[in-house]
Amino acid sequence: MNTGIISKVAGPLVIADGMRDANMFDVVRVSEQKLIGEIIEMHGERASIQVYEETSGLGPGEKVESTGAPLSVELGPGLIGAIYDGIQRPLNEIMKVAGTNLTRGVDVPSLDHGKKWKFTPCVKEGDKVVSGDVLGTVQETAAVLHKILVPNKVEGTVNMIKEGEFTIDEVVAEVDGNEVKMFTTWPVRVGRPYKKKLSPDILLTTGQRPIDTLFPLAKGGVAAVPGPFGSGKTVVQHQLAKWAAADIIVYIGCGERGNEMTDVLNEFPELKDPRTGNSLMERTVLIANTSDMPVAAREASIYTGITIAEYFRDMGYTVALMADSTSRWAEALREMSGRLEEMPGEEGYPAYLGSRLAQFYERAGRVLVNGTGDTEGALSVIGAVSPPGGDISEPVSQATLRIVKVFWGLDANLAYKRHFPAINWLTSYSLYTDQLEGWFRENAADDFMELRGRLMALLQDEAELEEIVNLVGMDALSASDRLKLETARSIREDYLHQNAFDPTDTYTSLKKQVLMMRAILSYYDKAVAALDGGADIELLVNIPVRERIGRYKYEPETKIDDEFESIQAQLDSEIADVLKRSDD
């Protein structure tokens, strides 16, 4: 081991001299307490180290030992359902060792090396395999079949493979003299390899109407959810974790306040997985990194989480990663940059803020994974941003918007009106819409994009008409403009407002979304035709079928076709009645 001596301590930053053989990003153990740190800068023999634990009490003269290896995570059976801190220490195991007060220098293995797992081979001796091929499987939970892959840069003939119950330290196979165990380690700052990146042209269905219809996210896509305190970022992320068409969820609490992370830890095990009926934790990995932990650990938690997500992507799974929130990570970068006395950028953030964010988000994607055959895996990243006061002109939000393709802007005013999800339809956008057009035509409806376009046009017309109403009053509007306002209100209140706590409304299939759009636009089209035929606007606005259209979202999926037909029949009848009364 290469050993140095501490010359300076400044919060989470420790400067050590005499580290001549150490390398950038090596993990080091600081002082007799063996605190975990990482080298982030080298000047000759002097190393700048960010320490992932509390440094109070450290002083010059204490020793620093380099492990010679970069910060890595253990990947293997036992990840699912685990709750880790930012450097992949299992919090439940630490509690058994250290009690409820987290003591410094606690060293606990990330995975349980004593537990036996049932390994079922997928290949036999004599088979040729390449890196990324599935050697065997472990049924980790009811929801997740854990695939043991041929390690990176290993290929050849399977000389030996076992079946039975083994710990992750035992050798289960041998490929051309290379021993294969059920776990591997991987440096967190290095993206895991794949064969080819694919175009983001498949929808990641979420069952959330404002997202799927107006601002869709592709499988392997990246999205940002900025919003002020109380605007519903966490509820949006919970809904996506529960309902998104993903096999595995990785949730990173990146420096959130302790009470918010406590809510996540309490609520996630309580959330029912709609696929299995069991706890959502059976396909979730949680990284709980609160704001009272050292700032440096926030950066580690981001990389730890995305490396675990890539590992499951390489098995051919669709993975959704939630980072809540990247603003706290950026604040940690700002603090470390200040302590390193680097030239500050805008608002004190480091000049490389944008490139660090890009390095993180670019690890998302839909890919052909390594191995024989064309197995697809996808990793979608949804990053919450917490701009102070909801002001998205600040550097973190702006740097994020330059990278991500989907922006779900949460609006405090909508949240105060109890309109959830509080996604502002005038400021949000999705750059995947054009690429997904073919997918929507094939899997939702031929005219899906036309329906969506008409909804957006009516909402934009409403915004312009509202300004006129605020200036001169409703009476100044023509009958056709009044009808536009009423239809836009129906879109907002009946379609875009979605109750996460209602058992039926919490999830809406694409088929039902199409029928709901058709019902609202059918009313508008028939009412416009009736207006042209001389119908009274007051009668058209107040026809009873509008209430049924509003309640349609609470219809169970099994009844949506019959109810839609019934609504259409009632609509035709009532429009005809209005025309008749207007003629009289």
Side-chain angles (χ1 to χ4, degrees):
M1 275 194 178
N2 179 31
T3 306
I5 301 295
I6 293 177
S7 60
K8 177 184 172 186
V9 179
L13 177 69
V14 167
I15 309 292
D17 291 326
M19 306 286 288
R20 67 181 66 82
D21 296 325
N23 297 309
M24 277 284 285
F25 300 123
D26 276 2
V27 171
V28 297
R29 294 288 184 168
V30 179
S31 82
E32 294 299 326
Q33 296 182 55
K34 305 279 187 193
L35 307 186
I36 299 172
E38 184 183 23
I39 296 175
I40 54 171
E41 209 173 76
M42 289 290 295
H43 294 289
E45 295 183 5
R46 172 168 283 197
S48 300
I49 299 158
Q50 64 177 357
V51 181
Y52 293 130
E53 301 182 71
E54 182 58 53
T55 58
S56 58
L58 288 187
E62 297 191 60
K63 69 175 183 178
V64 174
E65 292 179 335
S66 169
T67 62
L71 183 65
S72 302
V73 288
E74 289 188 350
L75 303 169
L79 284 171
I80 298 294
I83 301 170
Y84 293 113
D85 73 353
I87 46 178
Q88 211 205 3
R89 294 183 301 181
L91 295 179
N92 288 336
E93 296 305 312
I94 288 178
M95 193 170 76
K96 290 175 189 172
V97 174
T100 51
N101 292 322
L102 184 59
T103 50
R104 294 189 293 178
V106 176
D107 192 11
V108 179
S110 303
L111 299 174
D112 188 340
H113 288 250
K115 183 174 179 178
K116 293 205 166 187
W117 298 92
K118 188 176 188 317
F119 176 77
T120 307
C122 293
V123 295
K124 54 187 186 300
E125 290 176 10
D127 285 356
K128 297 271 189 205
V129 293
V130 299
S131 171
D133 279 346
V134 180
L135 282 174
T137 58
V138 171
Q139 192 68 51
E140 189 169 350
T141 67
V144 177
L145 184 68
H146 197 113
K147 300 171 186 175
I148 308 301
L149 308 177
V150 178
N152 193 39
K153 297 182 180 172
V154 172
E155 60 178 86
T157 307
V158 178
N159 307 128
M160 178 275 289
I161 191 158
K162 299 176 182 175
E163 181 173 4
E165 297 199 347
F166 308 100
T167 65
I168 58 173
D169 286 321
E170 293 180 73
V171 176
V172 293
E174 200 175 280
V175 179
D176 271 3
N178 295 289
E179 294 182 337
V180 180
K181 300 176 181 178
M182 283 196 282
F183 87 105
T184 181
T185 57
W186 193 267
V188 297
R189 291 179 186 271
V190 178
R192 286 176 62 88
Y194 50 82
K195 276 198 286 203
K196 181 186 176 186
K197 208 159 205 172
L198 302 171
S199 172
D201 53 15
I202 296 175
L203 178 71
L204 180 74
T205 51
T206 65
Q208 310 307 301
R209 294 188 294 271
I211 292 173
D212 286 351
T213 303
L214 300 187
F215 314 111
L217 174 63
K219 269 190 185 179
V222 287
V225 194
F229 177 76
S231 59
K233 290 191 297 292
T234 305
V235 174
V236 167
Q237 292 205 317
H238 281 204
Q239 283 294 90
L240 293 174
K242 186 172 179 180
W243 293 108
D247 304 305
I248 309 287
I249 304 297
V250 179
Y251 191 100
I252 308 170
C254 177
E256 282 301 282
R257 284 176 285 274
N259 60 331
E260 291 182 5
M261 208 59 234
T262 304
D263 286 344
V264 171
L265 296 178
N266 286 334
E267 287 169 18
F268 256 70
E270 297 294 321
L271 288 177
K272 279 273 193 302
D273 184 353
R275 298 177 179 204
T276 62
N278 300 334
S279 167
L280 191 63
M281 284 301 290
E282 290 196 0
R283 58 183 178 95
T284 302
V285 182
L286 278 181
I287 295 170
N289 200 50
T290 59
S291 52
D292 58 352
M293 289 181 175
V295 290
R298 297 181 193 175
E299 185 180 15
S301 65
I302 285 283
Y303 291 113
T304 297
I306 199 137
T307 307
I308 291 170
E310 284 178 330
Y311 173 64
F312 284 107
R313 175 208 68 192
D314 290 348
M315 296 180 197
Y317 288 127
T318 298
V319 186
L321 180 140
M322 319 284 165
D324 189 12
S325 90
T326 53
S327 297
R328 310 273 180 261
W329 169 35
E331 285 163 11
L333 288 178
R334 178 167 62 182
E335 180 167 340
M336 291 307 297
S337 175
R339 292 188 186 281
L340 287 167
E341 298 174 4
E342 295 171 337
M343 182 70 75
E346 193 181 352
E347 289 189 26
Y349 288 101
Y352 49 77
L353 171 67
S355 66
R356 285 287 175 87
L357 283 166
Q359 284 168 14
F360 167 64
Y361 281 111
E362 73 180 4
R363 288 171 72 170
R366 187 168 71 93
V367 301
L368 287 181
V369 299
N370 284 346
T372 48
D374 290 333
T375 304
E376 281 187 21
L379 167 53
S380 310
V381 175
I382 297 108
V385 186
S386 308
D391 175 19
I392 63 164
S393 64
E394 54 88 43
V396 183
S397 300
Q398 289 302 307
T400 304
L401 292 185
R402 282 195 286 272
I403 301 157
V404 302
K405 300 285 194 297
V406 178
F407 170 69
W408 297 321
L410 298 181
D411 190 323
N413 291 329
L414 286 174
Y416 292 145
K417 292 174 186 171
R418 318 313 294 162
H419 181 294
F420 290 106
I423 295 173
N424 187 316
W425 47 88
L426 298 174
T427 57
S428 303
Y429 61 83
S430 169
L431 301 181
Y432 294 119
T433 311
D434 291 342
Q435 287 166 291
L436 291 168
E437 183 171 350
W439 189 94
F440 278 123
R441 289 192 189 284
E442 212 170 291
N443 297 278
D446 285 344
D447 59 345
F448 187 92
M449 299 307 287
E450 288 82 350
L451 294 171
R452 174 192 177 276
R454 292 189 63 198
L455 252 60
M456 288 296 289
L458 282 165
L459 289 168
Q460 282 162 352
D461 287 347
E462 181 199 34
E464 293 167 15
L465 291 170
E466 286 285 358
E467 291 179 16
I468 297 169
V469 170
N470 289 338
L471 284 171
V472 292
M474 185 70 81
D475 295 339
L477 294 182
S478 65
S480 61
D481 284 345
R482 172 94 187 277
L483 187 60
K484 272 185 185 174
L485 275 184
E486 284 295 327
T487 310
R489 183 169 69 86
S490 188
I491 294 168
R492 282 190 289 107
E493 295 178 4
D494 304 335
Y495 192 80
L496 298 181
H497 182 280
Q498 189 167 357
N499 186 350
F501 300 101
D502 183 272
T504 305
D505 197 32
T506 184
Y507 177 88
T508 308
S509 67
L510 276 176
K511 180 184 178 183
K512 187 174 175 182
Q513 290 183 41
V514 170
L515 291 176
M516 287 177 71
M517 285 193 283
R518 287 200 204 287
I520 293 168
L521 292 171
S522 177
Y523 161 75
Y524 178 67
D525 292 339
K526 287 172 181 175
V528 167
L531 269 183
D532 293 342
D536 186 309
I537 182 66
E538 287 298 331
L539 293 174
L540 283 173
V541 164
N542 293 305
I543 56 176
V545 74
R546 290 195 66 200
E547 192 177 329
R548 271 186 86 184
I549 293 171
R551 288 203 314 267
Y552 185 46
K553 60 184 175 183
Y554 298 114
E555 283 295 321
E557 293 283 339
T558 52
K559 297 180 180 176
I560 55 175
D561 288 321
D562 293 342
E563 180 66 7
F564 179 75
E565 295 299 329
S566 177
I567 285 172
Q568 289 298 304
Q570 186 179 339
L571 179 59
D572 288 338
S573 162
E574 291 181 0
I575 292 279
D577 185 49
V578 168
L579 278 168
K580 188 170 176 234
R581 287 163 65 189
S582 300
D583 289 342
D584 294 345

